[in-house]
Amino acid sequence: MQIGAYHAPATIAEAVRLLAELPDAVPLAGGMTLLPVIRQRLAAPDAVIDLGRIAGLDTIRIEDGSVHEGTRQPNRLVIGAGTTHATVADSQLVATVLPALARLAGDIGDPAVRARGTIGGSLANNDPAADYPAAALALDAWNVTDRRVIPAADFFQGFFQTALMPGEIVTAASLAIPACAGYAKLRSQASRFPVCGVFVSRFADGPRVAVTGAGSQGVFRATVLEQALTADWSPAAARAARLPEAGLLSDANAGPRYRAHLVSVLAARAIAGIMDTAPAA
Ligand SMILES: Cc1cc2nc3c(=O)[nH]c(=O)nc-3n(C[C@H](O)[C@H](O)[C@H](O)COP(=O)(O)OP(=O)(O)OC[C@H]3O[C@@H](n4cnc5c(N)ncnc54)[C@H](O)[C@@H]3O)c2cc1C
């Protein structure tokens, strides 16, 4: 494995400074993706900046909506970027206000991946089949970085592409808390990543449906499903709605036709298994 230098800053500010000063330096979170990439010599960064020692990057809290410029906004669930999938899965707070997310986190990869992989690493990596990006889109996430807040709709920009600028660090994901939400996926037997996954949420202003593992440009919102569910919030309505095949992925796992079918089936399963949330007052 080729790594030029290793740094473990104690603060976000120090990490940002190192990333700006050192040529070709990259942030390291859980290393679940980055280290295999380096090991396979697909990348050889001059330096890795380990975010793992930064205090407070793994906190989970409710952000009181009333703090936003005098207008009453709904509360949000804020999860620090360094929070591991296992911690999200085990969090009592997440289980209470967003149980579908706790279940999503507890179903990622295997125990070793969940013990090291982080929500920030998953969002920044934007693997086209990763679970968290679907939740982020369906929960109107604000991806918070060291310098700005990026709505999920602008953040994910294609296969492994995000709106992050070089040296920019995700510090937290701020998620809207829906009335209810559900997630269903079909796993690849080989990689354990989703062949396709559908996150469904229901807010006062309507449903949101986000799909991972099926789009040729990565994660996306399925407006056809959202329209069908606005008219009739039921598994039957989800199953009857059909995505256009154009723009769907074709790979060794499945072609566009099968994926279009999967999206309907998984959306129906997500709704059937829905779990009401209990928004904190
Ligand atoms: C065997 C295996 C199975 C897996 N199965 C699944 C699965 O089923 N579903 C799923 O969703 N995922 C799966 N994953 C991916 C895993 O869950 C991690 O989310 C993913 O590897 C990235 O998280 P990480 O914390 O390990 O990030 P790293 O590997 O450390 O980093 C990934 C990338 O993000 C950048 N980065 C990391 N943190 C930040 C930050 N805070 N700000 C800016 N950039 C950052 C790094 O520079 C790097 O480019 C699997 C991984 C493995 C190895």
Side-chain angles (χ1 to χ4, degrees):
M1 186 154 64
Q2 292 252 306
I3 297 178
Y6 170 85
H7 298 267
T11 63
I12 292 285
E14 200 186 332
V16 171
R17 183 183 58 75
L18 285 164
L19 285 165
E21 283 177 3
L22 299 170
D24 197 22
V26 291
L28 171 72
M32 288 294 97
T33 294
L34 186 58
L35 294 182
V37 163
I38 294 173
R39 211 172 278 132
Q40 290 164 37
R41 296 178 187 271
L42 298 171
D46 289 335
V48 294
I49 313 302
D50 188 350
L51 308 178
R53 308 258 175 91
I54 297 175
L57 209 55
D58 60 351
T59 53
I60 303 178
R61 62 187 171 84
I62 294 291
E63 187 179 79
D64 181 350
S66 64
V67 297
H68 289 286
E69 295 170 357
T71 56
R72 177 74 197 175
Q73 304 240 341
N75 290 347
R76 287 185 155 252
L77 178 67
V78 181
I79 304 180
T83 311
T84 63
H85 310 325
T87 300
V88 174
D90 293 344
S91 161
Q92 201 51 55
L93 178 57
V94 179
T96 304
V97 302
L98 245 170
L101 191 75
R103 183 173 291 181
L104 174 151
D107 262 356
I108 291 176
D110 54 37
V113 169
R114 294 195 290 276
R116 300 291 309 173
T118 65
I119 185 170
S122 179
L123 296 173
N125 196 46
N126 192 19
D127 186 301
D131 295 285
Y132 270 123
L137 261 188
L139 296 171
D140 187 24
W142 301 339
N143 292 330
V144 185
T145 78
D146 62 281
R147 62 200 74 173
R148 57 186 171 144
V149 175
I150 311 173
D154 302 327
F155 185 86
F156 302 111
Q157 299 192 342
F159 267 48
F160 297 100
Q161 299 293 318
T162 70
L164 290 173
M165 294 185 288
E168 185 171 12
I169 294 176
V170 179
T171 55
S174 169
L175 307 163
I177 300 173
C180 60
Y183 182 60
K185 66 178 173 181
L186 177 73
R187 277 206 179 91
S188 155
Q189 290 305 308
S191 71
R192 308 291 289 159
F193 272 78
V195 170
C196 180
V198 181
F199 199 105
V200 177
S201 61
R202 191 176 191 186
F203 290 91
D205 62 356
R208 283 172 164 252
V209 180
V211 178
T212 188
S216 55
Q217 294 302 310
V219 68
F220 66 96
R221 271 178 74 178
T223 46
V224 171
L225 270 291
E226 291 179 353
Q227 284 158 7
L229 293 173
T230 300
D232 175 13
W233 175 260
S234 71
R239 191 179 275 273
R242 181 55 52 98
L243 280 186
E245 291 172 26
L248 295 189
L249 200 57
S250 182
D251 62 15
N253 288 310
R257 189 162 174 214
Y258 182 53
R259 279 194 156 93
H261 174 70
L262 268 183
V263 170
S264 306
V265 169
L266 293 171
R269 275 187 204 162
I271 294 170
I274 214 98
M275 292 175 282
D276 286 339
T277 58

mmCIF file of all heavy atoms in Angstrom, residues 26-47:
data_model
loop_
_atom_site.group_PDB
_atom_site.id
_atom_site.type_symbol
_atom_site.label_atom_id
_atom_site.label_comp_id
_atom_site.label_asym_id
_atom_site.label_seq_id
_atom_site.Cartn_x
_atom_site.Cartn_y
_atom_site.Cartn_z
ATOM 1 N N VAL A 26 -5.889 13.394 0.883
ATOM 2 C CA VAL A 26 -7.310 13.021 0.905
ATOM 3 C C VAL A 26 -7.747 12.754 2.352
ATOM 4 O O VAL A 26 -6.968 12.253 3.169
ATOM 5 C CB VAL A 26 -7.598 11.758 0.058
ATOM 6 C CG1 VAL A 26 -7.438 12.031 -1.427
ATOM 7 C CG2 VAL A 26 -6.745 10.589 0.495
ATOM 8 N N PRO A 27 -9.029 13.048 2.656
ATOM 9 C CA PRO A 27 -9.533 12.695 3.984
ATOM 10 C C PRO A 27 -9.734 11.188 4.095
ATOM 11 O O PRO A 27 -10.120 10.534 3.126
ATOM 12 C CB PRO A 27 -10.886 13.416 4.072
ATOM 13 C CG PRO A 27 -11.104 14.139 2.795
ATOM 14 C CD PRO A 27 -10.054 13.727 1.831
ATOM 15 N N LEU A 28 -9.490 10.668 5.270
ATOM 16 C CA LEU A 28 -9.719 9.253 5.568
ATOM 17 C C LEU A 28 -10.750 9.179 6.683
ATOM 18 O O LEU A 28 -10.575 9.805 7.730
ATOM 19 C CB LEU A 28 -8.408 8.602 6.033
ATOM 20 C CG LEU A 28 -8.517 7.175 6.597
ATOM 21 C CD1 LEU A 28 -8.809 6.174 5.486
ATOM 22 C CD2 LEU A 28 -7.226 6.780 7.328
ATOM 23 N N ALA A 29 -11.821 8.438 6.442
ATOM 24 C CA ALA A 29 -12.822 8.237 7.505
ATOM 25 C C ALA A 29 -12.685 6.807 7.999
ATOM 26 O O ALA A 29 -11.710 6.464 8.676
ATOM 27 C CB ALA A 29 -14.210 8.558 6.973
ATOM 28 N N GLY A 30 -13.631 5.927 7.637
ATOM 29 C CA GLY A 30 -13.524 4.534 8.070
ATOM 30 C C GLY A 30 -12.522 3.743 7.257
ATOM 31 O O GLY A 30 -12.088 2.654 7.670
ATOM 32 N N GLY A 31 -12.169 4.247 6.087
ATOM 33 C CA GLY A 31 -11.202 3.552 5.224
ATOM 34 C C GLY A 31 -11.787 2.349 4.497
ATOM 35 O O GLY A 31 -11.070 1.636 3.799
ATOM 36 N N MET A 32 -13.085 2.131 4.630
ATOM 37 C CA MET A 32 -13.697 0.922 4.046
ATOM 38 C C MET A 32 -13.646 0.934 2.524
ATOM 39 O O MET A 32 -13.593 -0.112 1.887
ATOM 40 C CB MET A 32 -15.149 0.777 4.527
ATOM 41 C CG MET A 32 -15.284 0.364 5.968
ATOM 42 S SD MET A 32 -14.645 -1.307 6.264
ATOM 43 C CE MET A 32 -13.016 -0.964 6.856
ATOM 44 N N THR A 33 -13.663 2.114 1.935
ATOM 45 C CA THR A 33 -13.496 2.232 0.485
ATOM 46 C C THR A 33 -12.098 2.725 0.148
ATOM 47 O O THR A 33 -11.429 2.182 -0.738
ATOM 48 C CB THR A 33 -14.542 3.214 -0.098
ATOM 49 O OG1 THR A 33 -15.825 2.637 0.079
ATOM 50 C CG2 THR A 33 -14.298 3.464 -1.579
ATOM 51 N N LEU A 34 -11.663 3.745 0.870
ATOM 52 C CA LEU A 34 -10.394 4.383 0.501
ATOM 53 C C LEU A 34 -9.202 3.432 0.603
ATOM 54 O O LEU A 34 -8.351 3.386 -0.299
ATOM 55 C CB LEU A 34 -10.172 5.617 1.391
ATOM 56 C CG LEU A 34 -8.959 6.465 1.034
ATOM 57 C CD1 LEU A 34 -9.037 6.970 -0.397
ATOM 58 C CD2 LEU A 34 -8.809 7.632 2.000
ATOM 59 N N LEU A 35 -9.124 2.665 1.672
ATOM 60 C CA LEU A 35 -7.943 1.813 1.837
ATOM 61 C C LEU A 35 -7.859 0.713 0.773
ATOM 62 O O LEU A 35 -6.773 0.495 0.202
ATOM 63 C CB LEU A 35 -7.876 1.251 3.262
ATOM 64 C CG LEU A 35 -7.654 2.323 4.349
ATOM 65 C CD1 LEU A 35 -7.553 1.684 5.729
ATOM 66 C CD2 LEU A 35 -6.422 3.178 4.068
ATOM 67 N N PRO A 36 -8.979 0.023 0.435
ATOM 68 C CA PRO A 36 -8.878 -0.942 -0.678
ATOM 69 C C PRO A 36 -8.471 -0.281 -1.991
ATOM 70 O O PRO A 36 -7.724 -0.873 -2.781
ATOM 71 C CB PRO A 36 -10.292 -1.529 -0.781
ATOM 72 C CG PRO A 36 -10.893 -1.321 0.559
ATOM 73 C CD PRO A 36 -10.270 -0.077 1.119
ATOM 74 N N VAL A 37 -8.952 0.941 -2.230
ATOM 75 C CA VAL A 37 -8.591 1.651 -3.467
ATOM 76 C C VAL A 37 -7.085 1.913 -3.497
ATOM 77 O O VAL A 37 -6.413 1.715 -4.516
ATOM 78 C CB VAL A 37 -9.394 2.974 -3.570
ATOM 79 C CG1 VAL A 37 -8.775 3.923 -4.579
ATOM 80 C CG2 VAL A 37 -10.839 2.679 -3.944
ATOM 81 N N ILE A 38 -6.548 2.322 -2.356
ATOM 82 C CA ILE A 38 -5.099 2.576 -2.288
ATOM 83 C C ILE A 38 -4.330 1.251 -2.399
ATOM 84 O O ILE A 38 -3.331 1.143 -3.115
ATOM 85 C CB ILE A 38 -4.740 3.310 -0.979
ATOM 86 C CG1 ILE A 38 -5.361 4.710 -0.976
ATOM 87 C CG2 ILE A 38 -3.224 3.409 -0.810
ATOM 88 C CD1 ILE A 38 -5.211 5.459 0.339
ATOM 89 N N ARG A 39 -4.861 0.235 -1.699
ATOM 90 C CA ARG A 39 -4.192 -1.075 -1.714
ATOM 91 C C ARG A 39 -4.107 -1.648 -3.132
ATOM 92 O O ARG A 39 -3.129 -2.275 -3.505
ATOM 93 C CB ARG A 39 -4.959 -2.025 -0.800
ATOM 94 C CG ARG A 39 -4.093 -3.061 -0.134
ATOM 95 C CD ARG A 39 -4.871 -3.841 0.908
ATOM 96 N NE ARG A 39 -4.970 -3.159 2.175
ATOM 97 C CZ ARG A 39 -6.091 -2.994 2.865
ATOM 98 N NH1 ARG A 39 -7.232 -3.439 2.404
ATOM 99 N NH2 ARG A 39 -6.084 -2.370 4.018
ATOM 100 N N GLN A 40 -5.169 -1.401 -3.902
ATOM 101 C CA GLN A 40 -5.172 -1.907 -5.286
ATOM 102 C C GLN A 40 -4.417 -0.979 -6.236
ATOM 103 O O GLN A 40 -4.453 -1.163 -7.455
ATOM 104 C CB GLN A 40 -6.612 -2.068 -5.775
ATOM 105 C CG GLN A 40 -7.354 -3.205 -5.098
ATOM 106 C CD GLN A 40 -8.864 -3.117 -5.307
ATOM 107 O OE1 GLN A 40 -9.331 -2.737 -6.368
ATOM 108 N NE2 GLN A 40 -9.620 -3.450 -4.284
ATOM 109 N N ARG A 41 -3.789 0.043 -5.695
ATOM 110 C CA ARG A 41 -3.015 1.021 -6.463
ATOM 111 C C ARG A 41 -3.858 1.780 -7.474
ATOM 112 O O ARG A 41 -3.365 2.220 -8.519
ATOM 113 C CB ARG A 41 -1.820 0.343 -7.153
ATOM 114 C CG ARG A 41 -0.847 -0.223 -6.138
ATOM 115 C CD ARG A 41 0.319 -0.932 -6.792
ATOM 116 N NE ARG A 41 1.125 -1.601 -5.785
ATOM 117 C CZ ARG A 41 2.138 -1.043 -5.140
ATOM 118 N NH1 ARG A 41 2.483 0.193 -5.405
ATOM 119 N NH2 ARG A 41 2.811 -1.735 -4.244
ATOM 120 N N LEU A 42 -5.154 1.925 -7.167
ATOM 121 C CA LEU A 42 -6.000 2.752 -8.014
ATOM 122 C C LEU A 42 -5.861 4.222 -7.609
ATOM 123 O O LEU A 42 -6.293 5.116 -8.318
ATOM 124 C CB LEU A 42 -7.466 2.315 -7.884
ATOM 125 C CG LEU A 42 -7.735 0.870 -8.341
ATOM 126 C CD1 LEU A 42 -9.147 0.426 -7.982
ATOM 127 C CD2 LEU A 42 -7.515 0.754 -9.853
ATOM 128 N N ALA A 43 -5.280 4.446 -6.438
ATOM 129 C CA ALA A 43 -4.962 5.806 -5.988
ATOM 130 C C ALA A 43 -3.691 5.732 -5.155
ATOM 131 O O ALA A 43 -3.423 4.721 -4.508
ATOM 132 C CB ALA A 43 -6.100 6.375 -5.147
ATOM 133 N N ALA A 44 -2.921 6.796 -5.206
ATOM 134 C CA ALA A 44 -1.686 6.854 -4.404
ATOM 135 C C ALA A 44 -1.543 8.277 -3.864
ATOM 136 O O ALA A 44 -0.689 9.046 -4.315
ATOM 137 C CB ALA A 44 -0.483 6.459 -5.251
ATOM 138 N N PRO A 45 -2.412 8.637 -2.891
ATOM 139 C CA PRO A 45 -2.360 10.016 -2.377
ATOM 140 C C PRO A 45 -1.027 10.287 -1.672
ATOM 141 O O PRO A 45 -0.441 9.390 -1.069
ATOM 142 C CB PRO A 45 -3.528 10.065 -1.390
ATOM 143 C CG PRO A 45 -3.799 8.645 -1.032
ATOM 144 C CD PRO A 45 -3.429 7.823 -2.213
ATOM 145 N N ASP A 46 -0.601 11.540 -1.762
ATOM 146 C CA ASP A 46 0.635 11.915 -1.064
ATOM 147 C C ASP A 46 0.442 11.888 0.441
ATOM 148 O O ASP A 46 1.393 11.667 1.192
ATOM 149 C CB ASP A 46 1.066 13.327 -1.488
ATOM 150 C CG ASP A 46 1.582 13.334 -2.920
ATOM 151 O OD1 ASP A 46 2.039 12.266 -3.380
ATOM 152 O OD2 ASP A 46 1.496 14.384 -3.581
ATOM 153 N N ALA A 47 -0.797 12.131 0.878
ATOM 154 C CA ALA A 47 -1.057 12.144 2.326
ATOM 155 C C ALA A 47 -2.513 11.790 2.584
ATOM 156 O O ALA A 47 -3.390 12.131 1.796
ATOM 157 C CB ALA A 47 -0.758 13.537 2.895
#
